[in-house]
Amino acid sequence: DFFGPIVICSAYVDHDTMKVINEYGITDSKKISDEKMLQIVPLILKKVHYVCKVITNDRYNDAINRGMNMNRIKAIGHNHVLVNLHDRCPYVKNIYVDQFVNEEKYYEYLDGCQRIQKDIVFREKGETAFPSVALASCIARYIFLQQMSSIGEKYGVKIPFGAAEHVNEFAKEFIDKFGLDEFNKIVKKNFKNYLEVVND
């Protein structure tokens, strides 16, 4: 999404958690409507172990300015939530990640991190293969929706999702109303949308 933060989540699943997952119909977050997500996830949060990291646009844009790319930012975020959840659940042996970059590159991106979670199984479309990834994706989506709602409330507007043309139209109206400085706080400035809107 052009607007809003990046949210990364890890979740622990055991037999008891599987009962929760089945009870609430947790699956790939892209297959659950946002309305349903807002209903069911709050009921689940107190019943499961999870760690989330919210990367605000200020921090994202700063990282990009320092030469990082999206995949490195995501890799560092994934490592953060996995290390912290493994501290809470040290007995876990099977660790799964929804693959967004090949394994070698993933660990290359983590060069310089003090602690690195190893022994990860990477799988594309991990939500369909591993319940823990599905649960984490739903929690991440829920927190993202909360963050977007909070941003919208601050400015008294409804922030659009995605990066399509209608998002650009909204962006131009936002800049006209609130100015470029405020706009820069809530968007990813390396998206092509940014140049299209600011240079228009």
Side-chain angles (χ1 to χ4, degrees), residues 100-152:
F100 55 92
V101 68
N102 70 62
E103 183 174 352
E104 182 180 357
K105 197 70 177 174
Y106 174 86
Y107 286 113
E108 187 181 309
Y109 282 139
L110 299 182
D111 185 43
C113 291
Q114 286 189 330
R115 299 174 63 196
I116 296 175
Q117 182 62 58
K118 300 279 192 177
D119 303 319
I120 296 171
V121 175
F122 295 88
R123 179 80 60 86
E124 290 183 3
K125 298 182 179 177
E127 300 102 322
T128 60
F130 308 117
S132 57
V133 176
L135 176 59
S137 74
C138 288
I139 295 173
R141 181 65 180 176
Y142 169 74
I143 291 176
F144 174 77
L145 292 172
Q146 281 193 316
Q147 292 283 320
M148 289 290 268
S149 177
S150 178
I151 295 168

Side-chain angles (χ1 to χ4, degrees), residues 18-172:
M18 278 305 302
K19 294 176 185 175
V20 175
I21 286 173
N22 292 330
E23 178 184 353
Y24 290 97
I26 293 296
T27 181
D28 180 353
S29 62
K30 292 183 285 293
K31 297 179 180 177
I32 302 176
S33 71
D34 288 343
E35 290 74 19
K36 186 175 181 183
M37 203 76 74
L38 291 168
Q39 290 175 352
I40 64 174
V41 175
L43 305 175
I44 293 170
L45 293 182
K46 292 182 180 178
K47 301 179 181 181
V48 300
H49 293 291
Y50 70 95
V51 173
C52 268
K53 182 174 184 63
V54 177
I55 302 172
T56 62
N57 295 94
D58 283 344
R59 292 178 63 196
Y60 173 86
N61 291 325
D62 179 62
I64 294 293
N65 289 338
R66 287 186 282 113
M68 292 189 187
N69 63 25
M70 172 76 86
N71 281 341
R72 185 174 184 195
I73 293 168
K74 286 167 63 176
I76 292 171
H78 277 67
N79 184 64
H80 173 86
V81 298
L82 289 170
V83 165
N84 279 274
L85 186 62
H86 208 197
D87 284 346
R88 293 189 198 176
C89 309
Y91 36 81
V92 170
K93 291 186 173 64
N94 301 312
I95 300 169
Y96 308 110
V97 164
D98 186 19
Q99 185 168 350
F100 55 92
V101 68
N102 70 62
E103 183 174 352
E104 182 180 357
K105 197 70 177 174
Y106 174 86
Y107 286 113
E108 187 181 309
Y109 282 139
L110 299 182
D111 185 43
C113 291
Q114 286 189 330
R115 299 174 63 196
I116 296 175
Q117 182 62 58
K118 300 279 192 177
D119 303 319
I120 296 171
V121 175
F122 295 88
R123 179 80 60 86
E124 290 183 3
K125 298 182 179 177
E127 300 102 322
T128 60
F130 308 117
S132 57
V133 176
L135 176 59
S137 74
C138 288
I139 295 173
R141 181 65 180 176
Y142 169 74
I143 291 176
F144 174 77
L145 292 172
Q146 281 193 316
Q147 292 283 320
M148 289 290 268
S149 177
S150 178
I151 295 168
E153 287 176 9
K154 177 181 178 181
Y155 296 102
V157 296
K158 183 172 176 56
I159 307 288
F161 299 151
E165 182 58 33
H166 73 281
V167 175
N168 285 2
E169 294 304 316
F170 172 85
K172 292 171 189 174

